Amino acid sequence: MLVFWAEKLVFLAVPKTGTTAIEGALAPRASMVLRDPPQLKHSPVYRYKRFLQPLFAQGGGQDDMETFAMVRNPIDWLGSWYRYRARDEIVGTENSTRDISFDDFVVEYCKGQPASFANVGSQAKFLTLGDKSIGVNHLYKYEAMPKAIDFLKQRLKKDEIKLNRKNVSPPMALTISQDVEARLRDRRAFEFSVWDQGQS
């Protein structure tokens, strides 16, 4: 999470949406950088509004901070998680996807209580409030990164923001069967609905 105090903007870091690259480019410019623990770095909007927003309002009078976040196509987002969990460092652990097909990973993700290797959270829950409304002021699709960067350049008054690829999942060709994709779209329709609401 990055806080830009003077510009009244908070960047909420949705995992696997390019957040590490954005943090790397903008951390020196931020007033506050929350890197650890992961629960703070990746604070969802409901946690931000419950704990951090009141702190900012009471501590510094910033009661009108706006939020910015990225959201990724759910299939691509799951593909990034799948590839990330296939890396050598975690082979043999309960989180490894090395010997699991992408179809099986997605099917497991669709379950109410997925196994550890497919328990990767939810972009929709990260970005919405209790009434399922979008809780972020400025939500951009990961696929529209140039437009998101243009917004940040304007808001932060920067001529250039250069992103370096960081925390990138290992390259791997992935395919998803029509039946599994249909199941994902049915069981996790809200994920696609939230993604559709991002600016593109």
Side-chain angles (χ1 to χ4, degrees), residues 43 46 59 79 104 126 131 144 152 164 170 172 181 186 189:
S43 288
Y46 71 84
D104 287 344
F126 190 108
D131 61 359
L152 289 171
N164 295 315
M172 186 185 304
E181 180 175 344
D186 177 60

Side-chain angles (χ1 to χ4, degrees), residues 16 78-101 104-106 108 114-121 169-170 172:
K16 311 309 290 179
L78 288 172
S80 182
W81 271 115
Y82 174 83
R83 295 193 311 273
Y84 183 67
R85 291 191 164 184
R87 65 193 192 280
D88 292 339
E89 301 93 294
I90 64 169
V91 169
T93 71
E94 61 182 5
N95 283 343
S96 177
T97 56
R98 177 63 61 88
D99 297 319
I100 298 165
S101 71
D104 287 344
F105 174 79
V106 174
E108 189 66 30
S116 182
F117 67 83
N119 188 9
V120 295
S169 301
M172 186 185 304

Side-chain angles (χ1 to χ4, degrees), residues 41-140:
K41 176 182 178 178
H42 296 295
S43 288
V45 67
Y46 71 84
R47 189 179 298 147
Y48 165 76
K49 287 186 174 291
R50 182 176 179 185
F51 297 107
L52 295 173
Q53 188 177 52
L55 177 66
F56 295 158
Q58 294 172 13
Q62 297 288 57
D63 56 357
D64 55 352
M65 299 285 280
E66 294 182 353
T67 49
F68 166 89
M70 306 293 297
V71 63
R72 191 170 184 173
N73 177 292
I75 296 174
D76 293 339
W77 184 73
L78 288 172
S80 182
W81 271 115
Y82 174 83
R83 295 193 311 273
Y84 183 67
R85 291 191 164 184
R87 65 193 192 280
D88 292 339
E89 301 93 294
I90 64 169
V91 169
T93 71
E94 61 182 5
N95 283 343
S96 177
T97 56
R98 177 63 61 88
D99 297 319
I100 298 165
S101 71
F102 185 51
D103 269 357
D104 287 344
F105 174 79
V106 174
V107 168
E108 189 66 30
Y109 173 77
C110 289
K111 295 179 180 178
Q113 294 183 320
S116 182
F117 67 83
N119 188 9
V120 295
S122 162
Q123 293 185 104
K125 288 182 180 178
F126 190 108
L127 294 164
T128 57
L129 303 174
D131 61 359
K132 294 192 173 183
S133 64
I134 299 293
V136 177
N137 300 107
H138 306 281
L139 181 63
Y140 285 86

